[in-house]
Amino acid sequence: MKLEIIVLGMVQGVGYRPFVRTQAEKIGLEGLVRNRGGFVHIFASGDEPDLLAFLETLKTMSPPGAHIHDIRVRVREDNLALPKGFSIAPSSESSLFLPILPADIAICEQCAAELASAEDRRYEYPFISCASCGPRYSIFRDIPYDRENIAMSVFEMCPSCRMEYTEEGRRCHAQTISCHDCGPRLSLITIGDRLADRGAYDEAVRYLADGRILSVKGIGGYQLVCRADRPETVEALRRLKRRDRKPFAVMFSAIEEIREICEVSDKESELLESPMRPIVILRPRRHAFSKSVVADSRFLGAFLPSTGLHQMLTSDVGPLVVTSHNLSDDPILYRDEDIPAPSEDSYAAVLTHNRAIDVPLDDSVVRVTCGRVQILRRSRGYVPTPVYLHKELPVAVFAAGGDLKSSFCFASGEFCYPSTSFGDLESLASQTNYAREYERMSRLLGVKPAILAKDLHPDYFAGELLARLTGSSGEPIREPEVEGGVDLPEESAADDSMTDEVMSDDILPTTVAAENTDAAATAEEPSVETPAIPVIGVQHHHAHIASVMAEHNLSSCIGVAFDGTGYGTDGNVWGGEFFHADGVLFTREAYLSNVRIVAGDDILRRPDTIAYCYLAATGEDMRHEDSDLLRAALRNKTLTFKTSSMGRLFDAISAVLEICERSTFEGEAAILLENAAAEAVACEVAPFSLHFAKARDKDEGMPDAAAIVRDIRYAYLAGIDRRALALAFHAAIAETIALECDKIRGKYDESRVALSGGVFANVLLTELTVAALEKQNFTVYMNEAVPCNDGGLALGQAYIASHLAKGV
Ligand SMILES: [Zn+2]
Ligand SMILES: [Zn+2]
């Protein structure tokens, strides 16, 4: 009996083919395994019970780093000729399934042990890797994932590595295989000198130990690195990065060191040691580092080394501050030629190597809130792993995302492929990275979107980029006005050629593969001129809620979208929204009352100005250096806008409590307000309770945002502890959410609530809200696969646009 098996999922670049061969040989099957396009293709011949046992193994076992999404099997009844024994056949192309491209995998346990073992031939080899670990997407150029398609292609294997590559073992078909003799080499560029190999490493360790800053070439870009226990060095790093108060993350050599300082739950330790190896935001048990490292944060971002080099550095020097090499808000530098030479007043040296980085990737940031994983930045280790959508999308889509924490996605079939985070698209460098990654992912995935999605905001850079990159033009079709869906040009309708065709005879093993590849490529050529692809404009907060619905397969829900800014369908700036979402349609059920505030480039850094405007809306005045200008602007309604933003309300409260009047990074005022509230709990400050007044002439009796600011200011001026007020404010917001959701439940008989938007990066608010909702028997859903901030917007846009295109 002969079986043809297709394995879909993260199966390339993780040692899956050698794993399959080993299992097949154990059972005594004949056949072959190969990478084909983005999937693994197996032909196996043997007795029926043996084949069934083999299938069972494939379903239940896989090498580390592999994720199996689906296994499709067909019995081959033709005279398929298979080679003797079981072999790994050459890779070939296929466009039948979207590939799942491998993400970078952090150094595995066995490689870490070899790195530390003086007997091993890769002892202290900084670029150690195996079939289960090493860089993947950051050095990836073309599919399939083979040596000639990655940045390792320029390094010719030495005879020992060649042997390991062909023989059974951990490095069988390990595409990143290399050693001291044949792999990438370290060099250290100091002021006026250049050292190589071991000399470079030893000198780098001396520099770090002496308390100096180094620029180090990591997996996804250059990083600025220094000892975490030297406040004066960390202060110098802050000046170098022009980063005032945003906390730094610290890299430790082992999880035990982290446990000594922080509370680490099972879920958190799993994340710390995961192949993604992200920065995990933890609660410290004691303050091990100075304020220069953690600033005012009550948390510590901790992570473990992802490469041999980082493992060696942290073991030899101790805990290190590791941050992307860039100026605050700019994207990470990743090309050798962009790194300025070291100098006395910047960093002491550059520790680099001669392997290229193809995709800039920052370290990812995650935390555990209410027992769930919250991804705050989805980059190295996660990208380009797709998000599984439970249900197939009607048509393939490209969604442009937002402008802040920008990230786009391609989505097709059951998968959404979010890009890395490009930061603020106002920066030209971010736009360049966005455009380059669009070209790359579009080529590697081979998705041909039938529909495009973007934010409703007419001035978003992401919208401009979408038009430029896809060649689409004209006004988007506005999402809320679409009732029966969008008519698609017939040629661009989704290609459903999934299961049946893939099993057809055009896929034959080994020798004929090349010819078939050609045939497949020819058939792929578009025969007619491609018509312009329709663009759908999706409302910002609806996209936030839809991202949760897509992740959790919700057909309907109550949506609570709280963030800083998003363009509303009425032209106002939204941000404190309660929706009822049904399929891809939504109704705005309630929102925080609108307040008029002044516009301006620095408004997000000026909580004091925001507070001024909220108070002015109640007829109150407060001290402000520009009070005359502000008063005139508000009176004449010049350069002002109305907003229901929850983010701005947090800013205003933070300012009237004199917690943060000017911020140095986005969200700082809210973070400090959350800290003050958390302190009220920790220090058992006398509690205070707040009752929000209703907005008189506003929708559905929602609280009056301006009156909240006024009342809290009065209480503060009357002598109530600001920490108690901060906590009371958080609690009252959580109660308001539960109250509003209850009203909406009464109307729609809906008890599922989706929480999304950047405000829910606030742990205390999220905990209080989830508790308040669960107490009232709501089931709460949150983003777990994409960020709840604007980094997750594209998934929601894609989900809505694809379903609207089909006409739900
Ligand atoms: Zn390994
Ligand atoms: Zn070698």
Side-chain angles (χ1 to χ4, degrees):
M1 188 173 168
K2 287 172 196 153
L3 292 185
E4 179 179 358
I5 304 162
I6 302 267
V7 186
L8 296 173
M10 176 80 89
V11 284
Q12 295 190 5
V14 290
Y16 198 75
R17 290 171 297 170
F19 162 78
V20 170
R21 185 175 66 180
T22 308
Q23 300 308 323
E25 283 176 344
K26 260 191 212 162
I27 298 174
L29 300 178
E30 295 201 319
L32 63 89
V33 55
R34 62 176 172 165
N35 281 340
R36 200 177 137 83
F39 57 94
V40 163
H41 200 192
I42 304 167
F43 291 90
S45 163
D47 295 337
E48 193 174 333
D50 290 345
L51 286 168
L52 289 177
F54 178 60
L55 278 179
E56 194 51 33
T57 309
L58 294 184
K59 279 177 193 156
T60 51
M61 285 167 62
S62 61
H67 298 283
I68 312 299
H69 291 299
D70 202 5
I71 297 178
R72 300 180 186 179
V73 190
R74 163 172 107 147
V75 178
R76 291 289 298 236
E77 294 182 351
D78 51 355
N79 283 330
L80 180 75
L82 289 174
K84 286 266 168 253
F86 201 97
S87 57
I88 296 177
S91 305
S92 71
E93 289 177 24
S94 164
S95 57
L96 288 166
F97 291 104
L98 284 193
I100 292 185
L101 311 168
D104 298 305
I105 310 170
I107 182 169
C108 72
E109 245 174 78
Q110 287 102 318
C111 284
E114 289 174 354
L115 186 74
S117 154
E119 282 82 60
D120 197 274
R121 76 182 195 91
R122 289 189 183 81
Y123 174 55
E124 299 197 332
Y125 175 53
F127 305 97
I128 190 166
S129 69
C130 69
S132 303
C133 79
R136 297 289 188 267
Y137 191 62
S138 57
I139 57 167
F140 193 93
R141 290 167 182 177
D142 210 349
I143 45 171
Y145 174 79
D146 279 332
R147 182 86 166 193
E148 66 267 23
N149 289 334
I150 60 176
M152 286 300 294
S153 61
V154 296
F155 301 97
E156 196 170 331
M157 283 180 222
C158 68
S160 309
C161 283
R162 166 73 50 196
M163 201 147 79
E164 285 178 90
Y165 182 83
T166 40
E167 281 179 358
E168 186 132 341
R170 281 177 46 238
R171 291 194 174 82
C172 177
H173 279 257
Q175 307 301 340
T176 50
I177 190 171
S178 66
C179 70
H180 287 291
D181 296 333
C182 67
R185 297 175 63 181
L186 280 183
S187 52
L188 185 78
I189 304 160
T190 63
I191 302 169
D193 201 5
R194 191 178 181 116
L195 302 161
D197 301 325
R198 189 69 213 187
Y201 178 78
D202 289 342
E203 189 68 359
V205 167
R206 255 193 301 280
Y207 272 93
L208 286 173
D210 280 355
R212 311 189 59 182
I213 302 168
L214 288 194
S215 174
V216 177
K217 191 175 186 179
I219 287 274
Y222 280 82
Q223 297 164 320
L224 292 169
V225 177
C226 72
R227 277 175 69 161
D229 59 351
R230 291 285 180 96
E232 65 286 356
T233 309
V234 184
E235 284 304 333
L237 177 61
R238 286 199 175 272
R239 287 192 294 279
L240 188 58
K241 275 200 71 150
R242 293 190 206 149
R243 176 152 155 168
D244 297 338
R245 297 202 292 257
K246 204 172 177 181
F248 285 126
V250 178
M251 184 184 279
F252 296 81
S253 72
I255 197 163
E256 294 71 37
E257 288 177 34
I258 301 177
R259 283 188 199 283
E260 266 176 38
I261 300 170
C262 300
E263 302 280 353
V264 183
S265 69
D266 288 352
K267 206 160 202 165
E268 286 161 342
S269 73
E270 204 177 289
L271 285 164
L272 283 165
E273 297 185 302
S274 71
M276 292 82 84
R277 213 65 52 99
I279 295 169
V280 184
I281 312 281
L282 300 170
R283 290 168 203 261
R285 273 188 276 131
R286 60 182 174 92
H287 293 291
F289 301 106
S290 68
K291 257 195 162 206
S292 59
V293 176
V294 293
D296 295 309
S297 176
R298 62 192 173 106
F299 300 103
L300 177 68
F303 61 144
L304 291 171
S306 51
T307 72
L309 179 61
H310 290 88
Q311 184 68 63
M312 288 164 65
L313 288 173
T314 47
S315 301
D316 288 337
V317 185
L320 297 170
V321 166
V322 177
T323 177
S324 54
H325 187 164
N326 54 359
L327 288 182
S328 247
D329 299 334
D330 279 351
I332 187 168
L333 298 174
Y334 70 106
R335 288 183 303 203
D336 301 337
E337 60 268 30
D338 294 338
I339 303 300
S343 68
E344 290 299 345
D345 52 1
S346 63
Y347 34 89
V350 181
L351 182 60
T352 183
H353 58 76
N354 56 340
R355 182 174 65 205
I357 296 171
D358 287 296
V359 188
L361 294 168
D362 243 319
D363 290 318
S364 297
V365 184
V366 305
R367 73 168 359 135
V368 178
T369 308
C370 301
R372 314 162 206 221
V373 179
Q374 266 191 312
I375 299 187
L376 301 175
R377 182 167 64 210
R378 194 179 188 276
S379 193
R380 178 189 51 76
Y382 290 90
V383 173
T385 314
V387 173
Y388 180 59
L389 299 178
H390 307 277
K391 265 195 314 229
E392 221 169 288
L393 288 175
V395 302
V397 51
F398 169 75
D403 270 15
L404 290 171
K405 298 184 168 39
S406 68
S407 167
F408 62 71
C409 75
F410 286 95
S412 175
E414 294 152 19
F415 295 106
C416 168
Y417 298 76
S419 72
T420 181
S421 168
F422 304 102
D424 187 347
L425 282 187
E426 209 175 328
S427 135
L428 200 61
S430 299
Q431 292 183 25
T432 309
N433 285 352
Y434 184 109
R436 189 180 297 127
E437 191 56 6
Y438 169 86
E439 301 291 357
R440 219 179 112 79
M441 280 180 74
S442 154
R443 176 173 55 83
L444 293 175
L445 294 171
V447 190
K448 297 201 171 37
I451 197 101
L452 306 171
K454 66 172 196 172
D455 194 89
L456 276 186
H457 200 302
D459 301 326
Y460 261 13
F461 288 110
E464 263 177 63
L465 282 163
L466 171 133
R468 199 177 85 210
L469 295 168
T470 62
S472 72
S473 59
E475 282 296 294
I477 303 158
R478 266 196 173 212
E479 168 233 344
E481 284 149 25
V482 178
E483 285 295 329
V486 180
D487 287 331
L488 293 179
E490 260 178 38
E491 290 83 350
S492 60
D495 169 13
D496 306 326
S497 61
M498 296 295 270
T499 36
D500 278 354
E501 278 170 49
V502 81
M503 299 302 194
S504 77
D505 288 345
D506 76 327
I507 315 163
L508 281 174
T510 56
T511 51
V512 279
E515 291 151 38
N516 282 325
T517 304
D518 289 343
T522 329
E524 274 270 304
E525 292 293 317
S527 51
V528 284
E529 216 174 282
T530 325
I533 309 172
V535 185
I536 292 185
V538 179
Q539 201 281 322
H540 191 99
H541 304 94
H542 185 206
H544 273 311
I545 297 309
S547 70
V548 180
M549 295 172 77
E551 270 193 42
H552 298 282
N553 198 20
L554 303 179
S555 54
S556 64
C557 68
I558 297 168
V560 183
F562 284 0
D563 69 357
T565 349
Y567 196 80
T569 54
D570 58 0
N572 286 329
V573 176
W574 293 8
E577 311 303 312
F578 291 87
F579 292 151
H580 177 253
D582 188 0
V584 288
L585 302 175
F586 77 98
T587 46
R588 192 186 191 202
E589 293 294 327
Y591 53 94
L592 202 58
S593 68
N594 277 313
V595 175
R596 183 170 295 280
I597 65 175
V598 294
D601 286 344
D602 70 338
I603 189 71
L604 295 182
R605 299 273 190 272
R606 294 297 298 264
D608 59 342
T609 304
I610 294 164
Y612 185 94
C613 300
Y614 275 73
L615 289 173
T618 65
E620 296 277 322
D621 204 359
M622 77 175 232
R623 189 174 37 81
H624 192 290
E625 60 193 19
D626 297 323
S627 55
D628 290 344
L629 279 173
L630 294 175
R631 207 175 301 124
L634 292 170
R635 192 175 49 232
N636 302 326
K637 301 182 182 171
T638 45
L639 290 174
T640 61
F641 60 92
K642 283 189 354 185
T643 183
S644 58
S645 167
M646 184 58 81
R648 294 300 82 80
L649 179 60
F650 271 78
D651 287 346
I653 301 295
S654 197
V656 296
L657 292 179
E658 296 181 293
I659 288 169
C660 180
E661 289 165 296
R662 298 210 183 188
S663 56
T664 63
F665 61 93
E666 193 216 343
E668 185 181 16
I671 289 169
L672 295 177
L673 184 66
E674 182 193 346
N675 284 354
E679 244 183 80
V681 182
C683 306
E684 296 177 15
V685 173
F688 187 80
S689 101
L690 272 174
H691 299 287
F692 289 163
K694 301 284 177 219
R696 281 179 304 278
D697 50 352
K698 299 296 187 308
D699 179 73
E700 301 284 325
M702 276 286 289
D704 184 337
I708 294 172
V709 178
R710 180 197 59 204
D711 294 350
I712 289 182
R713 179 161 179 263
Y714 276 160
Y716 177 55
L717 294 176
I720 308 286
D721 191 313
R722 71 174 73 151
R723 295 169 298 178
L725 287 166
L727 179 59
F729 171 70
H730 278 78
I733 295 288
E735 283 310 318
T736 302
I737 293 174
L739 212 69
E740 290 303 322
C741 287
D742 197 40
K743 281 189 219 160
I744 303 170
R745 171 163 60 187
K747 203 164 151 190
Y748 295 96
D749 193 25
E750 173 66 73
S751 56
R752 294 180 293 194
V753 177
L755 305 177
S756 190
V759 167
F760 290 106
N762 181 321
V763 181
L764 179 66
L765 178 71
T766 306
E767 285 171 349
L768 291 170
T769 302
V770 170
L773 287 168
E774 286 179 348
K775 201 170 136 197
Q776 296 201 32
N777 298 318
F778 284 104
T779 314
V780 183
Y781 297 88
M782 287 157 52
N783 291 111
E784 293 174 53
V786 296
C788 67
N789 58 43
D790 286 4
L793 215 52
L795 167 59
Q797 293 173 347
Y799 183 79
I800 294 167
S802 181
H803 286 283
L804 277 174
K806 193 76 174 182
V808 179

